[in-house]
Amino acid sequence: ILGFSTPPGRLSMMAFILNALTCALGLLYFIRRGKQCLDFTVTVHFFHLLGCWVYNSRFPATLTWWLVHIVCTALMAAIGEYLCMRIELREIPLTSAPKSNV
């Protein structure tokens, strides 16, 4: 069903890309570590590959399927790492005010 020539194929590819963007936000909220984003991204896509293999009873062999998933993996990892690094590199507030007014 994936392909550039038909509207359902383009819609499916767009859904995969939007899924990669929302999963990048998931990496931000659940992982919060830039170094681990690539690991979790590859793990999620590996389990998706296994699920597709079991569901279809054959290994995915089409070039468009592989291209879409490679692009989505790269997009998810890059955006997730960028978002996590922005959180990690925030300044630590250092205040000299007393904690309590005893």
Side-chain angles (χ1 to χ4, degrees):
I1 194 168
L2 292 175
F4 296 105
S5 60
T6 63
R10 287 190 295 266
L11 186 64
S12 294
M13 286 193 286
M14 196 171 250
F16 276 111
I17 291 172
L18 288 175
N19 183 34
L21 297 177
T22 57
C23 286
L25 289 174
L27 289 174
L28 174 65
Y29 290 112
F30 294 115
I31 306 304
R32 294 191 176 256
R33 298 276 308 176
K35 291 182 178 182
Q36 295 176 343
C37 285
L38 182 62
D39 296 336
F40 280 91
T41 300
V42 171
T43 302
V44 165
H45 281 87
F46 177 72
F47 285 135
H48 182 260
L49 169 68
L50 290 178
C52 289
W53 194 355
V54 168
Y55 181 76
N56 293 324
S57 301
R58 61 187 168 96
F59 192 76
T62 58
L63 180 63
T64 55
W65 191 91
W66 285 102
L67 289 176
V68 166
H69 283 83
I70 288 170
V71 168
C72 288
T73 302
L75 192 64
M76 181 178 160
I79 292 174
E81 189 170 338
Y82 172 75
L83 293 173
C84 289
M85 291 301 247
R86 287 190 62 191
I87 298 295
E88 287 178 0
L89 294 176
R90 283 187 184 167
E91 291 184 17
I92 299 173
L94 298 174
T95 59
S96 60
K99 288 189 172 185
S100 64
N101 294 329
V102 179

